[in-house]
Amino acid sequence: MAKNCLVGQSGGPTCVINASLLGVIKEARKHAEIGKIFGCKNGISGVIHEQFIDLSKYDDKKLELLKQTPSAILGSVRFCLNKIEDYEKILEVFKKYEIGYFLYIGGNDSMDVVNKLSIYFKEMNYNCCVIGIPKTIDNDLLFTDHTPGYGSAIRFIANSVCQIYEDTSCYQNGRVTVVEIMGRDTGWLTAASKLASLVSKGPDLIYLPECAFNLDDFINKIEDIYQKKKKVLVCVSEGIRDDSGKFLVEKFAYNQDNDVFGHMQLGGVSSVLTHIIKERLNIPVRAIELNLLQRCFAITSSKIDVDEAIRCGSYGLRQALFGQSGKMVVIKRSKKEKYHIMYRLVDVNKIANQTKYFPKEWIINDSDISSCYISYALPLMNQEIKVVYENGLIKFFKL
């Protein structure tokens, strides 16, 4: 008897999270072992509240728009799976809808859900294969060379920095421009600003969370560069910290909230730094926060990123059909000179709640990035998608 497939999305969305959903749907349609294809609204929360969408009814042409649709079309959630009644409800719903395959597209916290559910189903002797599909612009999941979503995000960041550089360079006497880029614990995104140097439009200074941020040293470097060039371009991760591990925004800003996992809500470090620069040096300064555009500006999505996201979804489902469970799809890069990758599975308990940090050996003097990173990142972003427009506006998939 055919079993049904369920797919959900969780955590911060990306430009290509829906491409992974497309991969799951297209693969599921190839196999007679799968009956219906359901999507759960707002991740695991949608399972608990029985909010399912039948994805079997959409035609292939319409589904193709998922390639250029940002955000999580099924709705996302940040949900901590701890209560026994939640586990019991999930099992009850899975039995009711005869779910035999569950694909969960997400990042670190989502992989924790994959791990917990796969263990619980095994303990309860319920036959359901649970597979994690990686997703995060932060690129901080262990065991995978990179994560779907990262290539598109760095493409946007690098091009944004190029254009900010161009704009701020047109005046004889410019200002200090501080560009804030996402990255709570790691600097993978902020490092992408270095890619702008390929066209001689890179920042003067780059600061990542992997190195302790020294405010006095920062001010001295700003003053020195400004005296020489009369303009300074700085890119900083939102999560930069002092040598005690305290977030800079935590030291100088107020009313910071936490999410359901206890993570401090960041943002505003560029405003903090511009205030300090103005106070100490009394020179013109501006803060720019790229914010959500880093993960949702689908017009500049990387074709490589989209294609790999689709393949992660399809590969994950195929492995579930082989009986694999409690695993996450990872991308392995060949050591050959030409860019080539393979898809594999890794036990999700080795990945959940862990962090892959930006290599310290790729950081120069705490404020620059080496060419090793450029070699790593460039293949992930050097092709663009063909975007479908309607009345000059990007066309999105609609449920």
Side-chain angles (χ1 to χ4, degrees):
M1 184 180 295
K3 293 181 179 180
N4 296 324
C5 173
L6 177 66
V7 58
Q9 298 170 315
S10 180
T14 75
C15 281
V16 303
I17 188 173
N18 294 317
S20 289
L21 174 63
L22 175 62
V24 173
I25 296 171
K26 290 178 74 172
E27 188 65 37
R29 288 180 170 178
K30 299 176 184 177
H31 301 276
E33 307 97 297
I34 294 178
K36 289 187 175 181
I37 311 161
F38 292 112
C40 49
K41 293 190 70 175
N42 302 110
I44 204 68
S45 176
V47 177
I48 292 170
H49 295 97
E50 268 184 82
Q51 296 175 312
F52 283 13
I53 301 166
D54 187 353
L55 299 172
S56 310
K57 61 184 180 181
Y58 295 99
D59 63 68
D60 290 342
K61 185 176 180 180
K62 183 173 183 180
L63 286 170
E64 284 296 301
L65 287 175
L66 287 170
K67 292 180 179 179
Q68 64 179 53
T69 302
S71 186
I73 198 68
L74 296 175
S76 191
V77 71
R78 296 191 186 278
F79 189 93
C80 194
L81 189 58
N82 286 325
K83 299 176 184 176
I84 186 60
E85 52 264 37
D86 289 337
Y87 286 93
E88 292 170 346
K89 178 62 178 179
I90 291 168
L91 181 57
E92 176 190 323
V93 172
F94 270 50
K95 287 180 176 179
K96 178 179 177 180
Y97 286 87
E98 299 179 329
I99 304 299
Y101 311 98
F102 180 45
L103 288 294
Y104 208 38
I105 310 169
N108 276 318
D109 296 324
S110 305
M111 294 309 124
D112 183 58
V113 171
V114 171
N115 186 42
K116 288 176 176 176
L117 280 184
S118 62
I119 292 171
Y120 178 70
F121 288 154
K122 188 173 182 180
E123 289 174 348
M124 301 306 293
N125 293 314
Y126 179 69
N127 188 17
C128 179
C129 296
V130 186
I131 296 289
I133 308 298
K135 169 268 354 157
T136 175
I137 65 169
D138 293 314
N139 197 36
D140 60 353
L141 295 179
L142 287 175
F143 295 100
T144 186
D145 178 78
H146 56 278
T147 54
Y150 182 65
S152 295
I154 64 173
R155 197 167 197 268
F156 170 78
I157 290 167
N159 279 287
S160 295
V161 170
C162 283
Q163 291 166 91
I164 291 169
Y165 179 99
E166 197 73 4
D167 184 90
T168 57
S169 297
C170 66
Y171 301 102
Q172 187 175 7
N173 290 323
R175 65 178 69 215
V176 179
T177 304
V178 182
V179 181
E180 178 178 340
I181 298 171
M182 284 180 171
R184 167 188 302 280
D185 299 309
T186 72
W188 288 102
L189 288 169
T190 306
S193 62
K194 182 66 177 180
L195 293 162
S197 66
L198 289 171
V199 288
S200 301
K201 302 186 191 304
D204 298 293
L205 300 168
I206 303 171
Y207 290 94
L208 315 187
E210 280 80 0
C211 291
F213 182 79
N214 186 301
L215 187 56
D216 291 332
D217 181 64
F218 170 76
I219 293 297
N220 289 336
K221 286 180 178 178
I222 293 290
E223 184 176 29
D224 182 57
I225 296 169
Y226 189 79
Q227 286 179 353
K228 293 174 181 175
K229 298 173 59 178
K230 294 303 179 186
K231 49 185 168 284
V232 187
L233 179 58
V234 186
C235 290
V236 298
S237 295
E238 62 181 356
I240 54 173
R241 315 169 194 232
D242 64 17
D243 55 9
S244 71
K246 195 169 189 177
F247 290 116
L248 195 69
V249 291
E250 194 177 358
K251 291 178 66 173
F252 293 96
Y254 303 95
N255 301 319
Q256 298 292 332
D257 298 320
N258 292 346
D259 64 18
V260 295
F261 294 97
H263 304 318
M264 182 178 175
Q265 296 286 341
L266 299 180
V269 71
S270 57
S271 296
V272 168
L273 288 173
T274 53
H275 177 77
I276 295 171
I277 292 167
K278 184 69 176 176
E279 187 178 65
R280 294 201 187 181
L281 301 178
N282 194 30
I283 55 179
V285 61
R286 175 187 284 119
I288 298 175
E289 190 175 344
L290 298 186
N291 212 300
L292 296 183
L293 288 172
Q294 295 164 87
R295 70 187 196 193
C296 69
F297 203 77
I299 289 172
T300 59
S301 290
S302 157
K303 184 179 184 299
I304 293 287
D305 197 21
V306 171
D307 291 345
E308 290 179 355
I310 292 171
R311 293 188 191 113
C312 279
S314 60
Y315 180 84
L317 183 56
R318 286 199 303 274
Q319 295 304 308
L321 288 166
F322 289 141
Q324 296 282 3
S325 187
K327 308 287 179 67
M328 187 190 85
V329 177
V330 298
I331 296 170
K332 297 291 186 182
R333 188 186 305 213
S334 168
K335 293 183 180 179
K336 297 177 183 177
E337 191 171 321
K338 189 176 180 181
Y339 179 71
H340 177 74
I341 62 165
M342 300 160 285
Y343 301 91
R344 298 290 185 266
L345 292 180
V346 171
D347 288 341
V348 75
N349 61 7
K350 297 178 180 178
I351 298 169
N353 302 313
Q354 303 296 316
T355 302
K356 180 182 75 176
Y357 294 100
F358 189 84
K360 283 252 182 114
E361 61 270 24
W362 290 359
I363 302 173
I364 303 171
N365 298 327
D366 295 345
S367 59
D368 198 6
I369 306 300
S370 81
S371 60
C372 295
Y373 170 75
I374 294 177
S375 300
Y376 164 84
L378 197 57
L380 311 181
M381 55 159 275
N382 65 1
Q383 295 181 33
E384 66 278 352
I385 63 170
K386 293 181 179 179
V387 180
V388 178
Y389 291 93
E390 188 173 56
N391 297 320
L393 299 171
I394 186 171
K395 192 173 182 180
F396 296 146
F397 176 88
K398 294 180 180 178
L399 286 172

